[in-house]
Amino acid sequence: MTTARLPLFPLNAVLFPGLVLPLNVFEERYRAMMRELLKSDEDEPRRFVVVAIRDGREIAPTATGMPDTVAAAPPPERAPAEGFGPDPIQTFHRVGCVADAATIRERADGSFEVLATGTTRVRLLSVEASGPYLTAEVEELGEEPPGEDEGDEAGALAEGVLRAFRAYQKRLAGASERSLATGADLPDDPSVISYLVAAATVLDVPTKQRLLQAPDTATRLREELTLLRKETAVIRHLPSLPATDLTRAPTHPN
C-alpha cells in the first residue's frame, strides 16, 4: 500500500470524501501549514489530512463558527502538538480524510480563509511534531469494488436510505415546511449517497467517525438506514427541536 506524509489538521469534526469544509485558520501552527501549501503550484492539489479528535482526549480549546470579528493581536504561538498530549496519535481517530484546499485566502492580519473538499479516506500510521505543524504518514483506505450482487444490494440500500433521509429531513424541518432536499438535489451513486447522508445527518462525532471508517458502502448505508429510522422516531416524539440548518456547513476555527 502506498503511503504519503501530509500536513495534519485535527478537528472536532469528521470530514467525508466529496464534502466541502470551510476553515477559519488563525493559530500560527496552522497558518504555517497554509503558507506552505500556498508554495505549491496552482495546478497541483494542496492536500492535508483532516482527522477527528477522540472524545475526552482534546486539551486544546476549540469552538464552532466563524468569529464575528478578528482579534487585532495575533494569538500566542503554540507548539505543533500542544493540546494533544504526549503522544498525539493517541488523541486522534486513526481514520481521517484527505482534503484538497481549492481556495486559500490570506487576510490582512495573517489569518486565512480556506475552502477545502474531502477526497480520499486514509489511515494514520504515525504523527510527527518536529516541524512548525503536525504531519502524518498515512495510507489510502480504499473500498473494495462490489461484486454484481453486492452492487445490487448497495443500490437497493441507497434507495432506502434516500427515502429515510427525506423523511428525517421533513421531521427535522417541521411538517409545515418543505423538505430541505429534493430528489433532484441528491446523487445516484451509492457511495456518494452514503457520504452525503453521513455528513448531513445530525450525529455526534463518534457516530460520524464510525460511518467514515465503515469497510464498504453497503455497510455504511445499512447503518445509516438504522440511524435515520431511529433519529426520525426520536424527533417525532419530541415536543420541540433546536433550530438546525442542514444546508449550511459550519466554519471550524482552530
Side-chain angles (χ1 to χ4, degrees):
M1 181 73 71
T2 303
T3 64
R5 181 161 293 278
L6 295 172
L8 185 65
F9 206 123
L11 286 176
N12 283 320
V14 177
L15 177 63
F16 293 92
L19 275 296
V20 175
L21 175 70
L23 292 168
N24 175 36
V25 178
F26 58 87
E27 279 191 40
E28 176 53 35
R29 51 184 168 180
Y30 302 117
R31 292 188 192 194
M33 181 190 300
M34 296 305 149
R35 289 194 294 267
E36 187 64 29
L37 290 175
L38 281 173
K39 293 178 183 179
S40 61
D41 192 279
E42 290 187 2
D43 296 332
E44 295 296 321
R46 293 166 173 165
R47 302 192 303 159
F48 58 96
V49 176
V50 171
V51 64
I53 302 167
R54 291 183 183 275
D55 265 5
R57 300 301 298 273
E58 183 192 10
I59 304 171
T62 64
T64 300
M66 176 79 76
D68 292 334
T69 58
V70 178
E77 291 192 19
R78 309 177 71 184
E82 184 177 345
F84 301 124
D87 186 8
I89 196 170
Q90 302 302 325
T91 306
F92 310 137
H93 286 282
R94 296 299 177 91
V95 175
C97 184
V98 174
D100 181 7
T103 303
I104 304 177
R105 186 172 71 83
E106 186 171 7
R107 302 189 186 99
D109 67 349
S111 63
F112 291 87
E113 289 181 12
V114 179
L115 193 63
T117 303
T119 60
T120 307
R121 297 188 308 161
V122 290
R123 187 185 306 279
L124 270 64
L125 302 178
S126 65
V127 173
E128 177 62 50
S130 60
Y133 49 82
L134 292 175
T135 62
E137 184 181 9
V138 298
E139 65 178 3
E140 183 175 343
L141 189 62
E143 293 188 16
E144 290 293 328
E148 184 175 344
D149 292 342
E150 294 171 324
D152 292 342
E153 180 191 13
L157 283 167
E159 291 178 6
V161 165
L162 286 180
R163 286 193 298 270
F165 183 59
R166 293 190 190 99
Y168 165 81
Q169 286 183 307
K170 289 177 182 178
R171 285 288 177 181
L172 200 62
S176 62
E177 301 180 27
R178 69 178 182 85
S179 175
L180 296 177
T182 65
D185 298 324
L186 297 171
D188 296 323
D189 182 87
S191 180
V192 176
I193 290 171
S194 75
Y195 289 130
L196 175 62
V197 169
T201 306
V202 182
L203 301 167
D204 59 21
V205 169
T207 303
K208 285 181 178 282
Q209 180 67 33
R210 192 167 68 246
L211 293 173
L212 176 68
Q213 58 194 50
D216 53 64
T217 297
T219 300
R220 186 176 304 107
L221 288 166
R222 199 175 295 115
E223 182 161 358
E224 286 170 352
L225 191 56
T226 299
L227 286 167
L228 286 166
R229 288 171 174 169
K230 177 182 176 181
E231 292 297 314
T232 303
V234 169
I235 294 169
R236 186 183 300 120
H237 292 92
L238 288 178
S240 63
L241 287 168
T244 304
D245 186 350
L246 293 183
T247 63
R248 292 178 56 194
T251 297
H252 296 277
N254 57 86

